[in-house]
Amino acid sequence: MKIKSLTIYCSHSNNLDQEYYDLAKEIGLFLGKNKISLVYGGGNTGLMREVSNAAMRKGSTVIGIIPEFLKKNENINYSISKIIVVKTMAERKKLLFDKGNAFLILPGGSGTIEEATEIISWSFLGLHSKPIILFNYKNYWQSLLDLYDIAMKLNFGNKNLQSICINISTLKEFKSLITLWQK
């Protein structure tokens, strides 16, 4: 499977430990080096800024998708390849889904959690078979993994998250996975 574009869900926070920004930057640089397009929420703060700017510097096409009402509240990254302004969050999420061959879920807050669980649910329901990479950096997503396990054990679901997502926790694992897919 050759990945041409990767939709990334991640934090817009500027209040994180530096290591999270460094991780996002390294991911962006790697994507750019491998000419993989990046699709994301269009922000110019937090992990969004780091991953998008690094990918642009290394030659990736970077597409940001943002709803009209967030243009006032979020700092839009106008230095990327293309900004698509939509009317609603639903339109944004549909384009984020449509434009990516695969999904990468980095640490993030309520927006990232909502996007991640939706794309995972769509996979559970058989609405897509695109790869989902859950980057469990520093065990950030462990509670989510545990919650899906509990749901399965108590018969609220018939699959755990490990059967839907590719779970990684290091940059080395990410690079190896993407390199393998590009062959």
Side-chain angles (χ1 to χ4, degrees):
M1 161 196 329
K2 189 162 176 93
I3 300 296
K4 295 180 181 175
S5 61
L6 186 64
T7 294
I8 299 180
Y9 303 118
C10 62
S11 175
H12 71 273
S13 175
N14 284 326
N15 299 313
L16 307 175
D17 290 339
Q18 184 61 42
E19 61 195 315
Y20 290 98
Y21 304 115
D22 295 343
L23 174 67
K25 180 179 177 181
E26 287 300 317
I27 289 169
L29 292 172
F30 182 77
L31 294 175
K33 177 182 171 191
N34 287 280
K35 304 301 182 231
I36 297 170
S37 295
L38 185 152
V39 183
Y40 81 114
N44 196 29
T45 58
L47 302 184
M48 285 184 166
R49 175 187 60 233
E50 295 303 324
V51 72
S52 62
N53 287 347
M56 278 295 298
R57 278 194 306 275
K58 280 292 187 178
S60 279
T61 298
V62 178
I63 300 170
I65 304 167
I66 191 162
E68 182 71 39
F69 77 93
L70 280 181
K71 282 175 60 178
K72 299 174 188 112
N73 298 331
E74 286 190 9
N75 187 5
I76 297 175
N77 190 347
Y78 289 106
S79 66
I80 60 175
S81 308
K82 184 176 185 180
I83 292 283
I84 299 172
V85 179
V86 296
K87 291 183 181 180
T88 67
M89 287 296 285
E91 288 177 271
R92 177 195 217 182
K93 290 191 290 183
K94 179 166 181 359
L95 282 176
L96 286 168
F97 172 79
D98 289 344
K99 292 193 174 294
N101 298 127
F103 306 97
L104 174 62
I105 305 168
L106 296 176
S110 61
T112 304
I113 294 166
E114 188 267 336
E115 290 164 332
T117 55
E118 181 173 64
I119 209 70
I120 290 164
S121 293
W122 289 358
S123 181
F124 271 124
L125 294 170
L127 298 175
H128 76 88
S129 58
K130 296 178 183 183
I132 303 169
I133 306 165
L134 185 67
F135 205 130
N136 193 20
Y137 184 69
K138 300 192 94 176
N139 287 319
Y140 183 84
W141 293 111
Q142 193 58 51
S143 295
L144 183 66
L145 290 162
D146 293 344
L147 183 60
Y148 276 90
D149 284 342
I150 291 167
M152 190 174 82
K153 286 176 188 169
L154 296 177
N155 299 314
F156 286 97
N158 61 0
K159 297 177 185 169
N160 65 17
L161 203 51
Q162 291 83 343
S163 65
I164 295 291
C165 296
I166 300 162
N167 299 305
I168 61 170
S169 58
T170 67
L171 186 60
K172 182 179 179 181
E173 288 174 305
F174 174 76
K175 289 179 177 181
S176 295
L177 179 63
I178 298 299
T179 300
L180 178 66
W181 284 351
Q182 296 311 92
K183 291 184 179 180

